[in-house]
Amino acid sequence: MNTLTLNNGIQIPIIGCGTNTYGKENRAYQGAITGETTEIESALAAGYTLFDTAIAYRNEAVLAEGIRKVGVDRTKLFLTSKIPGDPAYVGTDDLVHQNVTNSLQALNTSVIDLYLIHRPWDDLTDVLRVWKALEDEVKSGRLRSIGVSNFNNEQLQYLLDHATIKPSVNQIESHPGKWNDDQIAFGQAHGVTIEAWSPLKGVSDDAKAVLSTIGSAYGKSWAQVLLRYQIDRHVIVIPKSHDAQRQRDNLSVFDFTLSESDRLRIQTL
Ligand SMILES: NC(=O)c1ccc[n+]([C@@H]2O[C@H](COP(=O)([O-])OP(=O)(O)OC[C@H]3O[C@@H](n4cnc5c(N)ncnc54)[C@H](OP(=O)(O)O)[C@@H]3O)[C@@H](O)[C@H]2O)c1
């Protein structure tokens, strides 16, 4: 698996598996948890090692159960979870630590590779307080890396200015029509690795048509072209599919090279 090195020296796979509708009724984000592990099992069989879950997804335990069923060595995996930026979860430092404990138990692991603040809130001094509690979790060895999600440049700069442990990741939305290139450039200029959420969702039919045309020269789909484009600029992608073949397809993006003119064309989408 191709990796990037985070600002704390830890290796992270450049492509991972999103999970936000796995193990849920009707494959719906808000759907009731069914405990179904089929997609986790097929993703592991396809070769995914990075899995992206969150407390808000309610499926950390489903991920753990899929991993248990397949029997894969935990040390080969890179598990990401996220804590909601909501007073019910982060209102006190004790709550932060309790929720880390809950995530560790649900994921059936003694350490989580990457733990993110899922969304920022207005009071940045309070965000910093929560960040400090997460720093303590890194120091005590329960979290290997910590980062943020959906932080704008100003919010990220505040943490960079005041944190002892710099955020290693900012996970943001990025796809054609909403690349968020300024956030990508800002994060990367400050040593913060960018992960693209919804790398495939929300892509217009027009953009898909252009990407498909580009892909036809390489025998690749619009989705594979798009994932490769992000990977080439060192943006981690976490596509999610409920289809085992598409899970495999989304990993099969390292056996072709986009030309410079293709990359310039994609950049305009
Ligand atoms: N931090 C945040 O705030 C945040 C927000 C949103 C998402 N996320 C994370 O990012 C992950 C990915 O985002 P996402 O799940 O919203 O969307 P996504 O992975 O960008 O797209 C999922 C959609 O694309 C389809 N798809 C997947 N592979 C395909 C392929 N090769 N060809 C054609 N269609 C394909 C899937 O359909 P099929 O299932 O039918 O293949 C599904 O409809 C989430 O699962 C979650 O882990 C984080």
Side-chain angles (χ1 to χ4, degrees):
M1 180 60 70
N2 294 27
T3 59
L4 293 179
T5 305
L6 298 175
N7 59 9
N8 55 9
I10 288 173
Q11 302 280 307
I12 183 170
I14 189 114
I15 182 164
C17 185
T19 68
N20 66 359
T21 51
Y22 287 175
K24 296 182 184 180
E25 213 164 65
N26 301 323
R27 301 176 174 179
Y29 183 80
Q30 303 286 4
I33 294 293
T34 62
E36 175 66 52
T37 56
T38 314
E39 295 94 342
I40 304 292
E41 293 174 58
S42 57
L44 285 165
Y48 288 89
T49 55
L50 186 166
F51 288 86
D52 181 85
T53 182
I55 291 173
Y57 303 168
R58 299 168 287 126
N59 63 5
E60 291 168 304
V62 178
L63 175 56
E65 177 60 8
I67 292 167
R68 190 198 63 76
K69 279 186 186 165
V70 174
V72 59
D73 180 355
R74 167 68 184 91
T75 63
K76 304 276 187 250
L77 299 176
F78 190 105
L79 302 182
T80 302
S81 195
K82 315 183 192 82
I83 188 164
D86 177 313
Y89 294 88
V90 296
T92 65
D93 291 1
D94 282 350
L95 269 173
V96 175
H97 297 305
Q98 183 56 54
N99 279 293
V100 172
T101 300
N102 294 348
S103 286
L104 287 163
Q105 285 174 354
L107 285 165
N108 191 27
T109 187
S110 58
V111 60
I112 295 170
D113 300 283
L114 177 63
Y115 210 63
L116 308 177
I117 296 178
H118 205 143
R119 284 186 188 281
W121 55 103
D122 288 342
D123 183 350
L124 289 179
T125 58
D126 194 53
V127 173
L128 182 63
R129 173 189 60 78
V130 173
W131 185 257
K132 296 276 173 201
L134 294 177
E135 287 180 342
D136 288 341
E137 293 285 358
V138 175
K139 289 170 195 156
S140 68
R142 300 206 304 170
L143 304 178
R144 287 177 79 215
S145 311
I146 49 177
V148 297
S149 182
N150 302 301
F151 275 45
N152 66 28
N153 292 349
E154 183 197 356
Q155 291 158 336
L156 186 57
Q157 182 70 63
Y158 185 85
L159 271 195
L160 287 166
D161 288 344
H162 296 92
T164 305
I165 300 174
K166 308 286 182 214
S168 50
V169 162
N170 189 12
Q171 185 182 112
I172 60 171
E173 184 174 13
S174 180
H175 52 74
K178 202 166 185 184
W179 290 116
N180 285 321
D181 281 341
D182 58 328
Q183 276 171 278
I184 293 173
F186 183 86
Q188 290 184 339
H190 291 83
V192 179
T193 297
I194 301 297
E195 288 186 340
W197 60 254
S198 290
L200 302 175
K201 203 170 133 183
V203 181
S204 70
D205 288 344
D206 286 351
K208 281 182 188 172
V210 174
L211 294 164
S212 295
T213 303
I214 291 171
S216 61
Y218 307 104
K220 294 292 174 182
S221 70
W222 66 268
Q224 290 168 313
V225 167
L226 187 46
L227 296 173
R228 180 60 192 248
Y229 173 77
Q230 297 279 32
I231 287 169
D232 280 345
R233 58 181 190 159
H234 305 298
V235 170
I236 293 171
V237 282
I238 46 170
K240 170 207 67 190
S241 177
H242 286 268
D243 179 85
Q245 182 59 50
R246 280 201 285 271
Q247 287 179 330
R248 289 193 290 274
D249 292 346
N250 292 344
L251 272 189
S252 177
V253 293
F254 298 102
D255 56 353
F256 72 112
T257 306
L258 290 170
S259 70
E260 182 62 12
S261 62
D262 289 338
R263 279 204 292 272
L264 290 171
R265 179 73 184 97
I266 295 166
Q267 199 183 316
T268 66
L269 293 175

